[in-house]
């Protein structure tokens, strides 16, 4: 069959440009990427071999071989993994299968040079890293179960690639890099050794290379000349770190393994090495990442979750069933003893053993977090800053652990510095004995909330109010309802006064009844107008009824695409003690038909709209009223 030339998908060209030019200082990662692809391919065929032994073709001595060749100036990475077929090689190496490529490109362009390799690794465009060091890449591959029917793919990375059919005896893939002049160091044995150690030491399969060894003469042949032999040397240590005794493992080894596994450049926040024995046997090595990786939110949740091994055999990259969705940020692996090797994704979903492992893992993760929160609150707060919004999800998805999760929550409050946290437990400790509720306010930013009228009463009473800016907080409070029997109460909803205050206001209410009626008819937009029990400095405020969504949440839901968000009717509250309100009342008592009363009612309503962060609807009328007042007030002569 003649070779066919095909074009790369459009975004590939752009991507390749960026990879080749912007990653130049981090060339070495190409080797990590190619080795990791070889490992993936080996794991895949080994896994298939569990149920279809034929695909193994008696070739199950797993290894990844590096073959540097000084004459041809090539480096070949060869594996006996699954291989690629003629049909799929174009898709696998000619396009970026994943979605979000445009987003990725933008991110990559903006990122600091130091972060780029991590971005590339996490996005899985690994293979193309080859072009950083190679002017031409030739991939020869033969798929398991396709005897002799191989394929050769080649490209200079310049927009097109060639595919042709070849004969290939052995199953697996050989990636041959025709090295650029500047990259010839990758032919150097010692250099390759160092790079493998650095990036792929923990790889479970042997990474080997033929090296020349000088063999000293054996006893009795002391006079014979030294012999040089070629031996296949294993370059990586390949130890399953999670199988070793905890006491033998250095912190740094744990961290190195994490960086390799999660492709993170930073140390994790916590390491959990857990060995369960007895009637449920498994080992887990889990990590709590210190930083949220780029694109975390847009990643497919089923592509997250720990790796699963069964009796040291790699089963899958992402066993999402091992952890509940709110812990999907936890990285690592689980090596279980009692599961069948052919466990499928579907089986995992409702396997009682998996459920028990999950329960044990959740328990362990939560106790690790609890420990961190007590022993190192600063570290915990930093951790919460990154991952808190996921833990909050647990509050309404993991009923059994709701209380433990509530203890792990952190919030800003009117008594914390901006950016610093308090906990619900601390809130209770520092609240006055007579206080019965946990007060909170949800808004777009701390700044907006701090300048709002809702906090006036609490400042005057010296009571703490939790300031919540995370969209999920509204759900958290409504699901928890209470913490240690103290109900959550939004300070911008309902009536906050106690019985005595209500009774006192009823009296004043009688005096103001006529004016309130006038307001009701002048401001038909609101559901009701009443006297306020929450204002100190402001004249007016808009509130919603208990249980309704505040305007911030309504707007948020709408931007999230939710269509049937009810426009919660609002209530306009007047501060009877405020000078303006008192003046309007006096005017009303003198002449309830004074046309200015209408205008003042509208002005106060507009003021309340601005106060809650909304826009004034009729700006022209608003301006006209203000200007009229300025014109009167500013007239010279009286002074
Ligand atoms: P990723 O590994 O994240 O999928 P890569 O760019 O590294 O992305 O590889 C793209 C695809 O090419 C892989 O998903 C795999 O299907 C195929 N591939 C690459 N290298 C090999 C290999 N050595 N053996 C078999 N398939 C491979
Ligand atoms: Mg890869």
């Amino acid at each position: 069959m003649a070779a066919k030339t095909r074009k790369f998908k459009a975004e590939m060209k752009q991507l390749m440009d960026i990879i080749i030019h912007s990653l130049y200082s981090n060339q070495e990662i190409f080797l990590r990427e190619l080795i990791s692809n070889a490992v993936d391919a080996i794991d895949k065929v080994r896994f298939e071999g569990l149920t279809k032994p034929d695909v193994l073709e008696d070739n199950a001595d797993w290894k990844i071989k590096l073959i540097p060749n000084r004459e041809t100036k090539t480096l070949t990475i060869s594996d006996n993994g699954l291989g690629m077929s003629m049909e799929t090689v174009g898709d696998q190496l000619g396009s970026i299968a994943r979605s979000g490529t445009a987003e990725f490109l933008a991110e990559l362009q903006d990122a600091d040079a130091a972060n780029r390799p991590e971005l590339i690794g996490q996005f899985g465009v690994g293979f193309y890293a080859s072009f950083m060091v190679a002017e031409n890449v030739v991939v020869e591959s033969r798929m398991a179960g396709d005897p002799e029917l191989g394929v050769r793919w080649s490209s200079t990375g310049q927009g097109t690639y060639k595919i042709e059919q070849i004969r290939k005896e052995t199953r697996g893939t050989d990636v041959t890099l025709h090295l650029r002049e500047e990259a010839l160091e990758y032919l150097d044995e010692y250099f390759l050794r160092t790079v493998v150690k650095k990036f792929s030491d923990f790889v479970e399969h042997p990474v080997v290379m033929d090296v020349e060894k000088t063999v000293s003469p054996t006893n009795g042949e002391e006079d014979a000349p030294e012999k040089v032999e070629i031996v296949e040397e294993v370059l990586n240590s390949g130890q399953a770190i999670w199988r070793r005794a905890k006491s033998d493992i250095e912190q740094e080894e744990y961290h190195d393994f994490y960086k390799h596994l999660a492709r993170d450049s930073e140390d994790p926040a916590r390491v959990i090495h857990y060995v369960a024995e007895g009637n449920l046997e498994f080992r887990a090595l889990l990590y709590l990442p210190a930083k949220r990786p780029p694109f975390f939110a847009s990643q497919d949740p089923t592509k997250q979750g720990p790796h699963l091994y069964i009796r040291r055999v790699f089963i899958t990259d992402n066993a999402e069933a091992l952890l509940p969705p709110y812990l999907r940020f936890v990285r690592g692996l689980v090596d279980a003893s009692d599961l069948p090797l052919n466990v499928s994704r579907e089986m995992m979903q409702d396997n009682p053993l998996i459920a028990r492992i999950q329960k044990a893992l959740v328990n362990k993760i939560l106790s690790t977090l609890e420990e961190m929160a007590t022993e190192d609150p600063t570290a915990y707060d930093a951790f919460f800053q990154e991952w808190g919004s996921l833990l909050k999800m647990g509050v309404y998805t993991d009923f059994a652990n709701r209380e433990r999760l509530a203890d792990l929550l952190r919030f800003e409050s009117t008594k914390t510095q901006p950016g610093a946290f308090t906990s619900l437990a601390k809130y209770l400790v520092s609240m006055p004995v007579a206080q019965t509720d946990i007060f909170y306010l949800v808004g777009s930013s701390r700044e907006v909330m701090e300048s709002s009228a809702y906090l006036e009463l609490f400042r005057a009473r010296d009571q703490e109010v939790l300031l919540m800016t995370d969209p999920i907080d509204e759900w958290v409070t409504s699901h928890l309802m209470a913490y240690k029997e103290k109900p959550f109460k939004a300070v911008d909803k309902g009536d906050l006064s106690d019985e005595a205050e209500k009774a006192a206001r009823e009296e004043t209410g009688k005096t103001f009844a006529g004016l309130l009626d006038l307001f009701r008819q002048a401001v038909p937009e609101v559901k009701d107008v009443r006297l306020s029990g929450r204002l100190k400095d402001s004249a007016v405020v808009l509130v919603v009824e208990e249980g309704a969504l505040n305007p911030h949440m309504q707007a948020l839901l709408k931007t999230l695409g939710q269509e049937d968000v009810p426009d919660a009717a609002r209530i306009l509250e007047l501060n009877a003690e405020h000078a303006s309100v008192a003046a309007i009342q006096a005017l009303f008592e003198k002449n309830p038909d004074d046309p200015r009363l209408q205008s003042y009612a509208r002005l106060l309503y507009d003021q309340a709209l601005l106060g809650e962060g909304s826009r004034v609807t009729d700006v022209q009328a608003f301006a006209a009223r203000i200007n009229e007042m300025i014109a009167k007030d500013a007239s010279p002569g009286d002074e």
Side-chain angles (χ1 to χ4, degrees), residues 32-38 40 98 121 124-127 263:
R32 172 187 79 186
E33 295 303 326
L34 296 183
I35 290 177
S36 110
N37 284 349
D40 292 348
R98 313 208 180 174
V125 290
F127 172 76
R263 293 174 171 179

Side-chain angles (χ1 to χ4, degrees), residues 399-435:
F399 196 80
N401 288 305
R402 208 153 73 155
E403 265 155 45
R404 291 178 79 180
L405 284 162
D407 277 319
L408 287 168
L409 299 182
R410 296 293 178 269
F411 300 102
E412 287 195 40
S413 88
T414 48
K415 302 229 167 154
T416 66
Q417 293 299 317
F421 290 137
T422 186
S423 66
L424 294 173
K426 259 200 211 151
Y427 183 98
L428 290 200
V429 169
S430 55
M431 88 187 199
V433 192
Q435 188 180 328

Side-chain angles (χ1 to χ4, degrees), residues 33-42 44 77-79 81-84 88-89 91-93 95 98 120-129 139 141 172-175 263:
E33 295 303 326
L34 296 183
I35 290 177
S36 110
N37 284 349
V39 171
D40 292 348
I42 289 175
K44 278 182 206 155
I77 293 92
S78 170
D79 68 65
L82 185 72
M84 283 173 277
T88 60
V89 70
D91 288 338
Q92 278 154 342
L93 302 181
S95 67
R98 313 208 180 174
I120 296 237
Q122 278 165 355
F123 209 70
V125 290
F127 172 76
Y128 305 100
V139 179
S141 192
T173 304
D174 301 339
V175 177
R263 293 174 171 179

Side-chain angles (χ1 to χ4, degrees), residues 278-494:
N279 54 5
L280 179 67
E281 267 182 40
F282 69 88
R283 280 164 181 263
L285 180 52
L286 300 179
Y287 294 94
L288 311 181
K291 285 267 149 61
R292 193 180 264 255
F295 318 117
F296 182 82
S298 56
Q299 270 169 19
D300 178 354
T302 63
K303 295 268 155 57
Q304 297 167 336
H307 300 199
L308 176 65
Y309 288 75
I310 295 175
R311 295 184 287 283
R312 286 201 68 180
V313 177
F314 174 88
I315 303 297
T316 172
D317 255 346
N318 312 106
E320 81 271 12
L322 284 172
L323 286 176
Y326 74 94
L327 292 177
R328 66 196 164 92
F329 63 91
V330 177
R331 309 300 300 264
L333 59 91
V334 173
D335 189 348
S337 302
D338 309 315
L339 288 164
L341 281 172
N342 60 353
V343 64
S344 68
R345 257 214 152 65
E346 295 68 46
M347 273 166 72
M348 268 192 255
Q349 288 306 340
D350 40 32
N351 180 301
L353 260 174
I354 292 271
R356 283 172 59 204
I357 295 178
Q358 191 197 89
K359 199 170 162 208
L361 293 179
V362 171
N363 198 18
K364 189 75 192 172
I365 293 168
L366 294 186
S367 60
T368 304
L369 290 174
E370 285 156 359
E371 204 181 281
M372 186 168 159
T374 3
E375 285 171 9
D376 192 352
T378 319
Y380 181 74
D381 286 358
F383 169 85
F384 192 85
Q385 189 78 47
E386 295 289 313
W387 298 112
S389 58
L390 269 110
L391 289 184
K392 288 173 189 169
M393 247 176 80
V395 168
Y396 57 93
T397 54
D398 187 354
F399 196 80
N401 288 305
R402 208 153 73 155
E403 265 155 45
R404 291 178 79 180
L405 284 162
D407 277 319
L408 287 168
L409 299 182
R410 296 293 178 269
F411 300 102
E412 287 195 40
S413 88
T414 48
K415 302 229 167 154
T416 66
Q417 293 299 317
F421 290 137
T422 186
S423 66
L424 294 173
K426 259 200 211 151
Y427 183 98
L428 290 200
V429 169
S430 55
M431 88 187 199
V433 192
Q435 188 180 328
T436 50
D437 305 285
I438 298 173
F439 295 113
Y440 73 92
L441 179 60
V442 180
S444 56
S445 76
R446 179 172 177 131
E447 238 181 339
V448 168
M449 286 189 277
E450 278 192 321
S451 67
S452 78
Y454 307 113
L455 297 179
E456 290 171 4
L457 175 68
F458 299 89
R459 261 192 216 111
R461 290 187 192 158
D462 194 32
Q463 283 175 335
E464 185 171 15
V465 177
L466 301 176
L467 300 175
M468 305 181 169
T469 45
D470 193 338
I472 203 172
D473 288 330
E474 183 81 43
W475 278 269
V476 171
T477 53
S478 68
H479 277 263
L480 277 177
M481 285 184 348
Y483 173 78
K484 305 250 187 283
E485 278 144 50
K486 303 281 182 205
F488 285 98
K489 203 162 174 83
V491 300
D492 58 348
K493 294 178 190 175

